[in-house]
Amino acid sequence: MRPPEELDSVDWASLRHGLRADASNVPRIIRALYGDDGRSARERVSPLWVLTRWNEVYSATLAAIPFLAHAAAHVPLVRAGLIHRLADIADGRGPECAGRGDEDAAAHDLVLAELPSLLRFLEDPDPATRRAAVSLTPLASRVGEDVWDRLVRRYEEDPDGQVRADAFSALAGLADPGGPRAEAVRRWTAGAVTDPEPLVRARAAVLLLERAGTPYPVDPVEVLAEARARATPGKGPRSTLAGLPDPDAREARVLGADPGAMALVARRSIAAGDRGERGSRLAARLAATWRDRDEEAFDLLRAALPYGHGDTFRRLGELLPYVPRADRPAIADEILPHAQHTGTDGYRLRSARLLLGRLGDARVEALLPHHRPGTVPDTEDDADVLGELAAATGRLDLWRSVLRSAHLRQENRALDALSPAVTAELHLELVALLHARRHVQPVATALAEAGVATPEVMAALTELSREPDGYESPADEQNFWDVMAIQDRGTATAGNRITAAVALARLGGPPEPALTLPAEASGGWRALARHVGPAGRPLLPLVEAALMEPAPATRLWAAHAHLRITGDPYARCVPVLADLVRTWDEQAHGTPPPPSALAMLAELGITPDEIRPHLRTWADSERRIIPCDARHGPPEDDLLREAARAHLSLLADR
């Protein structure tokens, strides 16, 4: 433990943290913990994220630990947050964690050295501080300090439900199998299913389900569903217990093994008000984890609509492709009141309007306060909503308004949904974006995909393919985000030039600008090799080298490009594809094959012997082989199932 007066004795400039190699700003962050400037505890503790960015520790983290422990012991306002931060630093970094670096082991030992001064807060008057101290107790037991009795008192006597629940989880995790403590945990678990605190009942039910295995017995599932429906959303940091499984992640894993249990808990939580959005989050996870549950998940999310959570609207939008179009008007009617209610928070209002736009409901146009129908949207939010509406309805007047807006963002759906027909119809508006150096890469790619080779398009792409970079790389890493903003505004970059050169070649223009791209401009020559076919033969040496790369995605791209250039699937394409799909072990939870590789082999009419035993699993598994995230387009798992079924059809026809 070191006081702030000793901060200047550390050469912070020679240390690094998660943001940069110079940690000279750490003393200022630590001194602010002691300040009297009226800032909240969160505002004081949040800047410390640089010490554990990407869940890693750095040399500056090690130097800061004794100072953080001192602040935790002497500043009540930040005590709970700092103890949780120290628990996170030590979590999973003990000597038993093979493969961790020296800094991880040193961080673990440094936090252990501070435990005697921190565990006294197990009896602190503040429940958030007691809960934070509980998170450190697993570390204490490993160095022989007997905190078991103190944890038992927290479980049996603490007036705060969250503290009792975390103490119960810690006790369960610390009990040696077969020992007297394990017997005590079994006794507590049996009684905890009727505990007055819902969160304690939920933790006990998870333990019972974990022991029972799937398919789960009804009674513990009912206990968990009822407890979660009644539990008050947690306050403060999540229930991380240093060195033990995260109780929330453990519950998610247990529920994820049984879709019926997951759906029941989600349904009960939503019916009870969807507090903390727990039910709607589970509904979204149901669709991401299990096949053919998308409509059920959508119905659950629809039931959560009355509570008006902003993320519920977002999750509904992600599952919209699975909903029959005939049902969409009724869903829009349910969303409309939330999109009209200007007294709600901004995120909820924006999410509801975006979903109305995605549903193709024209009523949303009149709800935008800064927009008059028929005019160009003059805010980013309005442009985003109208982009959704344009993509859903195909109205060219909306497309023109959105594409002319100065507030069109890169992630706007109008850019994602540029079909060949719309691109051809609106190519002049898209050319105007090229001339303005705005969103060059998606626009140029859309024009190439649509085959729009008008004189205006070819002239704009030719000009862009010859343009030098429009900015210099930042010398100071702190200016990185400024450069990203410059790029987003459309300033000419190497990426724009490469994309334009490739689009020009794909549209029948001169291939030389693209064929002379430097080898390091991989994004350009890869796109070119994959699309221009035999004209890309000068790139074949680069493609051949990429076939030997360790990354599966690189080898997959190279196999496709080699086939496009040479026209010979057996030269290099088929062997690489077969190698990518042949190694998979369901029991070992190995990485499943790339769906596009499997699909390409089916197109070529080739089914390697090694994958035949797995095809039925990939085609018929109830659980997703590849967990999906609906935010990023069609689930990879759907593509895997379709490709597997194509192979089964091939085998049946032989």
Side-chain angles (χ1 to χ4, degrees):
M1 190 174 290
R2 302 184 67 179
E5 291 78 15
E6 297 182 16
L7 280 166
D8 292 335
S9 66
V10 178
D11 183 10
W12 296 98
S14 67
L15 305 177
R16 64 182 287 265
H17 55 51
L19 194 60
R20 62 188 188 189
D22 175 3
S24 56
N25 62 336
V26 171
R28 173 179 55 80
I29 295 173
I30 292 177
R31 286 191 176 98
L33 299 172
Y34 296 83
D36 189 21
D37 53 7
R39 291 193 304 161
S40 67
R42 181 172 183 175
E43 290 172 319
R44 299 186 192 197
V45 174
S46 289
L48 292 169
W49 70 270
V50 299
L51 298 176
T52 52
R53 192 184 188 199
W54 311 125
N55 197 32
E56 296 181 3
V57 295
Y58 310 91
S59 55
T61 315
L62 304 182
I65 287 172
F67 294 102
L68 300 181
H70 184 279
H74 293 85
V75 186
L77 178 65
V78 296
R79 181 171 294 148
L82 289 180
I83 294 177
H84 271 294
R85 189 60 57 100
L86 289 167
D88 284 342
I89 289 172
D91 187 27
R93 295 187 166 91
E96 75 285 352
C97 296
R100 304 306 295 254
D102 293 340
E103 288 180 343
D104 284 341
H108 182 271
D109 292 342
L110 284 167
V111 176
L112 284 181
E114 304 295 345
L115 283 182
S117 62
L118 298 175
L119 287 179
R120 60 191 173 94
F121 295 114
L122 279 168
E123 286 79 31
D124 193 87
D126 176 38
T129 301
R130 296 197 302 276
R131 184 178 176 224
V134 167
S135 71
L136 285 173
T137 54
L139 300 176
S141 70
R142 296 181 184 186
V143 294
E145 291 192 33
D146 186 11
V147 295
W148 180 266
D149 291 341
R150 298 168 74 183
L151 269 176
V152 170
R153 286 196 297 273
R154 292 279 64 81
Y155 167 59
E156 293 182 342
E157 303 172 8
D158 203 284
D160 185 86
Q162 279 190 289
V163 175
R164 292 189 60 236
D166 283 358
F168 175 82
S169 294
L171 290 166
L174 294 173
D176 295 328
R181 291 181 178 178
E183 180 57 38
V185 170
R186 280 193 290 271
R187 186 175 65 254
W188 286 323
T189 302
V193 294
T194 58
D195 193 276
E197 169 55 44
L199 195 54
V200 172
R201 298 200 299 274
R203 299 278 174 88
V206 168
L207 286 182
L208 292 173
L209 292 172
E210 202 169 42
R211 293 172 190 165
T214 56
Y216 292 142
V218 174
D219 289 347
V221 174
E222 287 284 350
V223 170
L224 180 57
E226 180 271 341
R228 272 304 180 183
R230 293 176 178 272
T232 302
K235 299 176 182 177
R238 64 179 187 153
S239 304
T240 299
L241 300 171
L244 293 177
D246 176 354
D248 294 334
R250 189 177 195 172
E251 180 182 318
R253 176 179 55 77
V254 168
L255 281 177
D258 188 325
M262 185 184 290
L264 176 62
V265 174
R267 190 174 300 109
R268 292 284 181 82
S269 296
I270 290 170
D274 199 24
R275 287 180 286 187
E277 300 182 58
R278 173 169 182 76
S280 51
R281 284 200 306 271
L282 275 176
R285 193 178 300 136
L286 178 69
T289 308
W290 295 90
R291 289 174 169 174
D292 302 321
R293 296 275 181 165
D294 310 282
E295 292 186 24
E296 181 180 12
F298 188 92
D299 289 341
L300 288 168
L301 288 169
R302 187 175 177 183
L305 276 177
Y307 311 113
H309 298 304
D311 281 341
T312 301
F313 300 115
R314 177 181 61 78
R315 295 177 185 119
L316 274 167
E318 292 166 2
L319 293 174
L320 205 57
Y322 299 97
V323 177
R325 289 193 171 273
D327 295 342
R328 297 187 182 189
I331 297 168
D333 288 341
E334 296 170 24
I335 296 166
L336 185 63
H338 299 284
Q340 293 171 324
H341 187 32
T342 56
T344 189
D345 68 85
Y347 177 65
R348 181 188 303 179
L349 190 66
R350 180 177 184 274
S351 299
R353 289 173 177 171
L354 284 170
L355 183 52
L356 270 186
R358 186 170 291 193
L359 285 163
D361 194 314
R363 292 175 292 182
V364 73
E365 194 173 0
L367 299 178
L368 305 179
H370 307 289
H371 174 71
R372 295 195 317 277
T375 63
V376 174
D378 57 3
T379 70
E380 288 182 340
D381 282 355
D382 289 358
D384 288 345
V385 172
L386 293 176
E388 295 280 4
L389 187 59
T393 62
R395 284 173 47 191
L396 292 179
D397 61 317
L398 282 175
W399 280 103
R400 290 192 170 92
S401 294
V402 173
L403 293 177
R404 290 171 181 166
S405 172
H407 301 281
L408 177 67
R409 291 192 284 193
Q410 184 81 25
E411 60 270 22
N412 193 295
R413 281 259 297 171
L415 294 175
D416 292 337
L418 281 170
S419 66
V422 169
T423 300
E425 188 72 32
L426 302 178
H427 74 276
L428 292 179
E429 283 81 0
L430 297 174
V431 167
L433 287 174
L434 296 180
H435 286 314
R437 306 302 188 260
R438 297 184 60 230
H439 313 302
V440 167
Q441 297 179 44
V443 169
T445 301
L447 289 165
E449 294 285 350
V452 181
T454 65
E456 298 89 349
V457 169
M458 302 301 278
L461 292 175
T462 300
E463 180 183 353
L464 279 164
S465 68
R466 297 171 179 169
E467 190 164 6
D469 289 356
Y471 76 97
E472 295 182 359
S473 298
D476 180 2
E477 194 174 352
Q478 298 303 304
N479 293 327
F480 175 75
W481 296 112
D482 293 338
V483 172
M484 293 296 290
I486 290 172
Q487 287 180 277
D488 191 53
R489 287 196 299 270
T491 300
T493 66
N496 291 349
R497 186 174 64 250
I498 292 166
T499 305
V502 171
L504 187 66
R506 291 179 63 187
L507 289 171
E512 288 76 18
L515 292 174
T516 55
L517 292 171
E520 59 269 20
S522 59
W525 60 261
R526 288 183 179 188
L528 182 66
R530 186 164 180 169
H531 291 293
V532 298
R537 188 165 289 276
L539 296 173
L540 202 54
L542 295 171
V543 174
E544 294 275 3
L547 285 165
M548 309 304 293
E549 290 289 327
T554 301
R555 298 205 310 278
L556 174 59
W557 158 80
H560 192 183
H562 196 279
L563 174 60
R564 293 278 297 181
I565 292 171
T566 66
D568 182 359
Y570 296 95
R572 299 300 299 273
C573 180
V574 168
V576 170
L577 294 176
D579 183 62
L580 286 171
V581 303
R582 67 164 48 102
T583 55
W584 183 73
D585 183 351
E586 182 181 9
Q587 301 304 319
H589 303 288
T591 302
S596 53
L598 199 64
M600 201 181 310
L601 283 171
E603 290 174 10
L604 295 171
I606 298 169
T607 303
D609 291 340
E610 296 88 345
I611 71 169
R612 295 188 184 194
H614 304 308
L615 290 173
R616 187 59 64 185
T617 297
W618 296 338
D620 298 339
S621 171
E622 184 184 2
R623 188 185 183 96
R624 289 195 183 276
I625 305 297
I626 306 176
C628 76
D629 184 344
R631 289 173 295 181
H632 303 299
E636 285 273 286
D637 185 74
D638 289 357
L639 303 178
L640 176 68
R641 176 162 60 170
E642 183 179 344
R645 288 175 174 174
H647 279 280
L648 290 171
S649 295
L650 281 174
L651 294 175
D653 291 341
R654 290 174 185 168

